[in-house]
Amino acid sequence: MNYTYLNVFYTVAKLQNISKAAAELGVTQPAVSRIIANIEREHNTKLFLRSKTGVTLTREGIQLFEMIKNPLIELEKISDNIASKRELGDVVIHIGATSTALYCYLFKSLENIKKEFPNVNFRIYSNSSANLLNMVSKGILDFAFITTPFNGGNDLEVYKISKLNDILIAPISMKNEIKSPLSFKSLAKHPFILLSKDMQYRQFIDDFLAKHSIHINPVYETDSSAILPPFVELGYGLTFIPDEMAKKSIEEGKCYKVDIFEKLPNRYIAFVIKKDKNYSNIIYEIKQAVLKENK
C-alpha cells in the first residue's frame, strides 16, 4: 500500500467522514471512496462501517489505524512546520483530546484560544487517555486534554482544569419501567451500553460498581464516549456519561437522567504536557492561557 493510499485511509479514519476527508485532502469524494474500496479489495477486508452521519472503523480498520497513525502524524507535523515557516509566522500546534474532553471542554474553549493566538493553527487528534499520554511523552503531540483517572504519565505535568459530573441516563422509552432513584441491586437487571474494558472510564465505572458488589455485563461496548448517547436514544439500554454529553439528548426528550443512591466520584478534564520540555514561546503562552482561564 503506497503513501497516498495510507494517507487517504488515515484522513478518513481521523475525521470519520469521507466528505470532510476529501475536503482536507483537496480531492473529490468519489476519489476518496474509490481509494478506500481499492484498499479493502486489495486486502480482502472491511475497514469502515458506513452510516448516514459518517464512517466508523471496523476491528481490522482499528488495527491498521493503530499501526500507521504515529508515523503519519510525524510526517504531518514535519509538513506543517515546513509550511508554517513559509507563512510569515503562522505556527501549527498538535493537540490530543479524548472524545469526552472534546465535547465537555475543548469545543467551547478552542475559540477563545484561537482569538488570543490568531496566528496559530491547530491539528487535533482524538484518542484514548492512555494513547494520548504516550503520544505526549514521545513528543508526537505538543499537549493533550484527557480525562481522569488515568495510569502513567510520570514524565508529564498534569493540571486538572474542569470538573466532570457523571450521570446515569436511560432511553425515554424506559421511563415507565425505570424509576428514580434506582437501587444498586436493580442496576444489573437492565441492559447497559458501556465503553470497552480496556478504556479507563470503563475501569472507573467497574471499580465504582464493584464497591457495591455489582457487576454489569453490557449488551454493547464501544471505544468512544460520543457514541454512548445515540445508543441510549435508540433504546438499547442505559449508560454512565458526563452530563454535558447527555444534555442535548435530555433536552430533546430522547433520554432522561436516572438518579442513583450514591453519586459517582469526581472526575476531571486534565491538561497534560511533557515535563522539562524546552517549550517554544507560543506553547508556553498557550499553556499559561489555558491554566489562567481555569483557575
Side-chain angles (χ1 to χ4, degrees):
M1 196 185 310
N2 62 35
Y3 171 77
T4 299
Y5 274 30
L6 283 176
N7 193 39
V8 168
F9 166 78
Y10 165 74
T11 305
V12 174
K14 178 180 69 172
L15 298 177
Q16 298 183 351
N17 187 285
I18 289 176
S19 297
K20 291 179 181 178
E24 180 167 311
L25 292 165
V27 297
T28 65
Q29 182 176 335
V32 172
S33 297
R34 187 166 58 251
I35 288 174
I36 295 299
N38 287 343
I39 297 172
E40 291 179 329
R41 184 168 55 254
E42 181 180 335
H43 294 276
N44 193 29
T45 190
K46 196 83 170 172
L47 297 173
F48 294 99
L49 299 174
R50 277 75 169 174
S51 70
K52 291 180 180 178
T53 57
V55 297
T56 55
L57 288 165
T58 63
R59 181 175 297 180
E60 292 77 11
I62 291 171
Q63 290 173 347
L64 177 58
F65 184 69
E66 291 297 321
M67 288 171 58
I68 70 170
K69 68 179 180 182
N70 286 354
L72 284 175
I73 289 172
E74 283 294 333
L75 286 172
E76 195 174 58
K77 285 185 74 172
I78 292 168
S79 176
D80 287 340
N81 286 335
I82 292 171
S84 69
K85 289 176 182 177
R86 294 196 209 106
E87 294 175 5
L88 299 176
D90 279 358
V91 177
V92 177
I93 302 295
H94 296 258
I95 301 174
T98 63
S99 57
T100 299
L102 278 171
Y103 276 82
C104 298
Y105 176 80
L106 198 54
F107 283 153
K108 294 178 289 187
S109 296
L110 197 57
E111 185 177 354
N112 293 332
I113 296 173
K114 184 64 178 174
K115 285 179 182 176
E116 193 165 346
F117 303 95
N119 290 331
V120 175
N121 295 320
F122 296 96
R123 299 290 181 269
I124 301 173
Y125 307 90
S126 184
N127 213 313
S128 67
S129 290
N131 286 334
L132 293 174
L133 288 169
N134 185 47
M135 293 166 77
V136 175
S137 293
K138 290 181 176 179
I140 296 170
L141 298 175
D142 294 303
F143 50 80
F145 299 89
I146 65 169
T147 46
T148 65
F150 57 84
N151 298 317
N154 293 330
D155 60 337
L156 302 174
E157 297 175 27
V158 179
Y159 304 90
K160 294 177 181 176
I161 57 174
S162 182
K163 187 176 176 182
L164 291 169
N165 180 34
D166 292 301
I167 61 173
L168 176 65
I169 60 171
I172 203 71
S173 59
M174 294 184 178
K175 196 155 191 178
N176 292 329
E177 176 187 350
I178 301 174
K179 304 290 186 180
S180 293
L182 191 64
S183 69
F184 281 104
K185 286 184 179 179
S186 63
L187 280 176
K189 297 177 183 177
H190 300 290
F192 268 81
I193 309 107
L194 297 176
L195 292 181
S196 305
K197 274 190 171 293
D198 59 341
M199 305 290 284
Q200 293 190 342
Y201 184 46
R202 169 65 182 279
Q203 295 167 18
F204 169 78
I205 293 297
D206 284 349
D207 290 345
F208 170 73
L209 295 173
K211 285 172 51 181
H212 301 276
S213 302
I214 302 296
H215 172 73
I216 289 176
N217 186 25
V219 291
Y220 294 98
E221 294 179 87
T222 177
D223 288 333
S224 173
S225 296
I227 297 174
L228 295 173
F231 265 84
V232 176
E233 291 177 12
L234 292 169
Y236 288 112
L238 296 75
T239 197
F240 292 97
I241 194 82
D243 58 357
E244 183 70 21
M245 297 183 75
K247 184 178 179 181
K248 184 179 178 185
S249 297
I250 293 173
E251 288 177 348
E252 293 177 350
K254 296 176 180 177
C255 67
Y256 68 103
K257 176 185 174 184
V258 180
D259 292 322
I260 52 178
F261 283 107
E262 184 178 333
K263 190 175 182 292
L264 275 76
N266 290 334
R267 289 197 307 140
Y268 297 86
I269 294 169
F271 173 86
V272 296
I273 190 166
K274 196 166 184 180
K275 283 181 183 175
D276 304 321
K277 184 176 179 179
N278 185 20
Y279 305 127
S280 67
N281 289 339
I282 192 67
I283 291 178
Y284 178 79
E285 288 175 17
I286 292 174
K287 171 190 169 184
Q288 293 304 111
V290 169
L291 298 185
K292 181 180 178 182
E293 182 184 11
N294 295 281
K295 276 188 177 179

